[in-house]
Amino acid sequence: MQPIVQPGMQPVATTFFFYFLSGLTLLSGVLVITRKSPVHSALALIFGLLTQAGLYLMLYAPFVAGVQIILYAGGIMVLFLFVIMLVNLERSQKEEQFNKQWLIGLLAAIALGALFIIVYVKGKSFFPVGIPQPIESNNTQQIGVMLYGQYMFAFEIASLLLLVAIIGAVVMAKKRI
Amino acid sequence: MSPIGTVHYLVVAAALLILGVIGVLTRRNVVIILMSIELILNAVNLNLVAFSRLWGLHGQVFAIFVITDAAAEAAVGLGILIAFFRNKETVNVDEIDLLKW
Amino acid sequence: MLDYITSYLGSNTTPGQAGNVFWALVYIMVVFGGISVAVMAMNWLERKALAHFQIRLGPMRVGPHGLLQPIADAIKLMTKEDIIPSEADKFVFWIAPLIILCASFAVYIVVPFGPTHAITDLNIGILFMLGVSSLSVLGVVMAGWASNSHYPLIGALRSSAQMVSYEVAMGMAVVSAILMTSLHGLGAYGVGTGTSGTGTLSMIGIVQAQYEQQVWFLFKFFPLGFIAFGIFAIAMVAETNRAPFDLPEAESELTAGFHTEYSGLRWSLFMLGEYAAMIAVSSIAVTLWLGGWYRPFANALTGDTWDLVFSLFPGFTFLALAVIAFVGVVRMPKHPYFRVQTIGLAGFGIVLGLIGLILFAPPVRDRIQDIFWFVAKVAGFMYLYIWYRATFPRYRFDQLMKVGWKVLLPIGIGVLILTAILGVVL
């Protein structure tokens, strides 16, 4: 996948950055699921989200990277940290962390991974081969045109979804309705 | 080393998804289960954006919608957690069994 | 290797866009050093200006007129005992000030000091700045939680709720400024056909759009640009937890809020991060509404003579500062105890005068223009911050949240809708 380079987004040391960023993302994923304290897991997840934004930048998707940093790392994770602070989790940190059927869960996940590998190896010939698109320098403008043109309906439904989520969260967390 | 292709990103996304699935299936703490679900959604996003390199910007638009959905779902899920914590003072999923016989 | 270094010198883009890692690192170190010096100067200026507002003198002893006070403060903070609360989570306690510091400093990658004087010019520049500066909320929350005591926890919850609320209003104001970059037409109401405006999120592009539309966005669609600027100016003060919105960290309210349990060097990291964030959001305001690095009347008064007149401003500014320093020397008491201070202040005045004279030389004069006007506008905002702190009483927390959600956000949405309507109609 040799990209056709236009001025403005020069690739610099692509291989190194890919292995570096994806290694950090996977490491943070492992830390999320193995830490005892939820705050440490949240910190690891924030780090993983930021390195994933770096991976999006490497895929020439700057707008999605920006949205990931603002919404995911700066919004959703703040919400998680608030709830972790409100829900006093001292007692649960001294209890057993993994549940009783952890072995079956692990085997099921490994089976899922094996399924992915089999699908990729056997089924790759079924799908058409894609051609790398030329890199545009106005990524944001084109995404905006698509969002407000072709995906307008989905955009409006997403705003309704957010309204429902706001009302739902407020109702769930109130002491007296 | 071979030049970085789409397959490399797909492998990273698949690994993240499996890590998220392990987190959901094996942990007892509800907050960490919700964070593992966010890991799964991130893996899907990485897949979408990796393929949008080959097939146009539709993948990136879909990824933006997925991030919006993740925000809504995290808010509602944490609201449910707070409501339940107020009743039963625990955040372990295997103690949330009020409907058992 | 040598031509890798010199190949950049002829280009007219930022080092990040040219892909030149060496010059990007040089720019990063220059910006980092400049911001650190600016934070120390801001510390001194705040104490002196607040003192003069309150008809007292402020620090006068440490250096001449307290000029070495920030250095004494830094030495004091570095030599204090590092106290960690007993049940505190050590890792989170350690990393919280680092997150605030990194988030506040990473913003400077896209701040444009000139048409090519930025570390890089991301084409999502303003989105990056807003996003990274919102990461400092995480540091605040973690600092409060890790201190394992209730005053910091309440302070952190209040502070982060305030920061998140005012980020929404900031976003509305920023979007209405970005809308203006996509307009054609010249002048304040954009009538007539001028340049073909392409909307852009890059910081350098926003300033260029103001130049091409021949009006600062402050005056565009008057009063809409003005109101948007006002919303941003208020929201940025609340975002950085400064007076009059400093309930979470005021000393008489919550015993210093989320950084109560931090002592010594860790506390100085919080202070460094706060001042760096102030300078960062001020530079957003300058770039979006005040025309960035362009001198006043860049389009109205053109021509060689006007360029010459305006290019003399940096030199005259430093000469005026040198004159003030010499007036201070003359007014020093004639007592042998003050001899060292008098000599120090005279030396400082001579250094300022020399810098002023250097800035009159033609090669330096042409290159320093952009940086000087940008820094001068940001310095004006810094003075405004100190003025607010001296003048306004503090908002109570529920009043603060009410202003953020019920006053600024509706006005912001209204300005956005009106700007969009005017942009389409005109």
Side-chain angles (χ1 to χ4, degrees):
Chain A
M1 190 172 81
Q2 292 301 322
I4 309 159
V5 174
Q6 289 182 356
M9 295 195 83
Q10 305 254 353
V12 176
T14 315
T15 320
F16 164 71
F17 275 121
F18 171 74
Y19 283 109
F20 181 61
L21 287 173
S22 56
L24 284 179
T25 313
L26 290 175
L27 174 68
S28 80
V30 168
L31 284 179
V32 166
I33 65 176
T34 55
R35 289 291 100 193
K36 201 184 298 186
S37 149
V39 175
H40 291 175
S41 289
L43 274 178
L45 186 58
I46 293 168
F47 187 62
L49 292 170
L50 292 176
T51 52
Q52 189 157 357
L55 281 175
Y56 289 155
L57 278 177
M58 286 186 63
L59 284 167
Y60 299 99
F63 188 69
V64 183
V67 166
Q68 169 107 345
I69 294 181
I70 294 184
L71 282 191
Y72 239 127
I76 298 179
M77 294 319 295
V78 171
L79 179 63
F80 266 101
L81 280 174
F82 262 112
V83 170
I84 292 175
M85 288 195 315
L86 285 176
V87 171
N88 186 9
L89 296 174
E90 284 295 317
R91 186 179 60 92
S92 69
Q93 276 182 247
K94 300 177 177 52
E95 295 177 359
E96 181 69 35
Q97 290 301 314
F98 293 91
N99 57 18
K100 286 194 291 267
Q101 51 263 33
W102 65 273
L103 189 59
I104 302 179
L106 200 58
L107 289 175
I110 293 177
L112 188 63
L115 182 66
F116 287 155
I117 297 176
I118 293 176
V119 164
Y120 181 71
V121 166
K122 289 277 168 73
K124 194 163 68 158
S125 55
F126 284 126
F127 295 97
V129 179
I131 316 157
Q133 309 260 317
I135 305 166
E136 67 278 336
S137 60
N138 54 349
N139 185 38
T140 312
Q141 283 89 334
Q142 288 188 351
I143 288 185
V145 165
M146 266 186 149
L147 262 182
Y148 284 95
Q150 200 175 350
Y151 291 100
M152 183 61 172
F153 192 51
F155 185 73
E156 297 294 333
I157 293 184
S159 68
L160 267 181
L161 175 76
L162 284 173
L163 177 68
V164 168
I166 290 175
I167 298 177
V170 167
V171 165
M172 292 298 244
K174 270 173 89 73
K175 287 210 173 79
R176 275 177 317 193
I177 301 178
Chain B
M1 299 227 173
S2 59
I4 304 294
T6 316
V7 179
H8 293 77
Y9 290 99
L10 297 186
V11 166
V12 173
L16 269 180
L17 196 140
I18 293 176
L19 283 175
V21 167
I22 294 178
V24 171
L25 291 177
T26 56
R27 293 295 302 240
R28 281 177 87 205
N29 197 334
V30 173
V31 183
I32 299 191
I33 291 179
L34 283 171
M35 284 197 265
S36 310
I37 296 179
E38 301 296 330
L39 265 186
I40 296 176
L41 286 168
N42 264 311
V44 167
N45 262 351
L46 186 57
N47 227 338
L48 282 169
V49 174
F51 273 120
S52 93
R53 252 323 255 127
L54 302 177
W55 296 104
L57 285 183
H58 304 272
Q60 293 181 22
V61 174
F62 201 162
I64 294 176
F65 281 122
V66 169
I67 294 180
T68 313
D69 262 341
E73 162 210 332
V76 174
L78 290 169
I80 295 178
L81 166 68
I82 292 183
F84 200 86
F85 179 77
R86 212 177 283 136
N87 275 323
K88 216 163 180 261
E89 287 286 326
T90 178
V91 286
N92 291 325
V93 267
D94 39 1
E95 296 176 23
I96 302 177
D97 54 359
L98 279 177
L99 282 178
K100 248 189 181 173
W101 63 87
Chain C
M1 168 69 103
L2 201 58
D3 22 272
Y4 182 67
I5 296 179
T6 53
S7 67
Y8 169 70
L9 288 173
S11 76
N12 58 349
T13 54
T14 58
Q17 281 179 305
N20 198 320
V21 177
F22 172 77
W23 282 105
L25 283 175
V26 167
Y27 273 51
I28 287 175
M29 282 194 274
V30 167
V31 167
F32 186 73
I35 300 297
S36 307
V37 168
V39 166
M40 285 180 72
M42 176 69 184
N43 196 10
W44 174 81
L45 184 67
E46 172 160 30
R47 290 183 68 171
K48 288 297 275 190
L50 269 180
H52 282 270
F53 274 114
Q54 295 163 355
I55 319 184
R56 54 184 175 92
L57 281 177
M60 294 286 282
R61 284 193 172 276
V62 183
H65 286 272
L67 281 168
L68 297 179
Q69 182 72 37
I71 302 180
D73 281 342
I75 296 177
K76 173 199 80 170
L77 286 170
M78 276 195 271
T79 54
K80 268 195 174 179
E81 177 190 359
D82 185 27
I83 304 174
I84 302 182
S86 63
E87 301 280 327
D89 195 336
K90 285 202 175 47
F91 176 68
V92 181
F93 192 80
W94 169 76
I95 209 176
L98 293 183
I99 290 183
I100 295 184
L101 200 64
C102 290
S104 303
F105 270 93
V107 169
Y108 288 98
I109 297 179
V110 282
V111 165
F113 293 95
T116 62
H117 306 322
I119 296 176
T120 183
D121 185 35
L122 297 175
N123 58 353
I124 48 157
I126 192 68
L127 200 67
F128 177 79
M129 283 191 90
L130 284 181
V132 172
S133 66
S134 76
L135 289 179
S136 52
V137 180
L138 291 167
V140 167
V141 168
M142 285 196 290
W145 183 86
S147 301
N148 199 29
S149 98
H150 39 264
Y151 281 134
L153 191 63
I154 301 178
L157 282 173
R158 283 186 179 177
S159 176
S160 53
Q162 167 190 331
M163 287 167 92
V164 164
S165 317
Y166 282 87
E167 260 169 31
V168 185
M170 267 171 77
M172 289 293 148
V174 164
V175 169
S176 71
I178 302 292
L179 268 184
M180 294 177 189
T181 63
S182 64
L183 299 170
H184 331 289
L186 311 170
Y189 284 97
V191 285
T193 60
T195 61
S196 63
T198 57
T200 172
L201 286 176
S202 83
M203 303 288 273
I204 294 185
I206 296 174
V207 180
Q208 301 279 21
Q210 292 183 59
Y211 182 71
E212 282 162 15
Q213 294 178 27
Q214 295 186 2
V215 66
W216 284 0
F217 285 158
L218 183 66
F219 304 113
K220 187 99 187 162
F221 293 148
F222 199 83
L224 289 180
F226 202 70
I227 298 178
F229 171 70
I231 292 175
F232 190 85
I234 299 175
M236 81 180 184
V237 175
E239 176 80 11
T240 48
N241 280 336
R242 288 281 294 189
F245 301 104
D246 63 348
L247 192 83
E249 66 174 31
E251 276 159 17
S252 58
E253 302 285 340
L254 276 177
T255 68
F258 62 91
H259 49 76
T260 311
E261 302 287 343
Y262 284 82
S263 60
L265 198 60
R266 295 186 206 269
W267 182 84
S268 71
L269 289 179
F270 276 118
M271 188 205 73
L272 188 63
E274 176 178 322
Y275 280 123
M278 280 164 62
I279 302 179
V281 287
S282 303
S283 54
I284 298 181
V286 164
T287 311
L288 255 62
W289 282 280
L290 289 182
W293 63 79
Y294 282 110
R295 61 174 172 82
F297 303 112
N299 301 101
L301 304 170
T302 50
D304 278 338
T305 47
W306 280 111
D307 279 344
L308 185 66
V309 165
F310 277 106
S311 68
L312 294 177
F313 266 76
F316 276 127
T317 310
F318 274 92
L319 282 184
L321 289 176
V323 162
I324 295 176
F326 284 125
V327 166
V329 168
V330 165
R331 293 181 49 159
M332 279 276 194
K334 308 276 184 303
H335 193 275
Y337 284 170
F338 285 93
R339 196 170 298 149
V340 176
Q341 283 203 8
T342 319
I343 298 176
L345 192 57
F348 188 66
I350 291 177
V351 166
L352 284 176
L354 280 178
I355 296 179
L357 286 178
I358 292 178
L359 289 181
F360 275 130
V364 181
R365 205 166 63 198
D366 297 326
R367 286 194 174 78
I368 209 73
Q369 278 298 300
D370 308 322
I371 304 178
F372 171 75
W373 285 110
F374 188 84
V375 171
K377 293 174 193 175
V378 172
F381 270 97
M382 292 293 111
Y383 186 72
L384 272 182
Y385 265 109
I386 302 175
W387 200 352
Y388 293 158
R389 183 172 178 182
T391 321
F392 293 125
R394 199 169 285 140
Y395 270 96
R396 211 175 57 224
F397 190 67
D398 57 319
Q399 293 171 335
L400 202 154
M401 298 297 272
K402 183 162 68 163
V403 164
W405 288 106
K406 290 197 201 170
V407 173
L408 285 186
L409 186 62
I411 297 180
I413 296 179
V415 164
L416 180 63
I417 295 177
L418 282 176
T419 309
I421 292 177
L422 275 184
V424 166
V425 162
L426 281 181

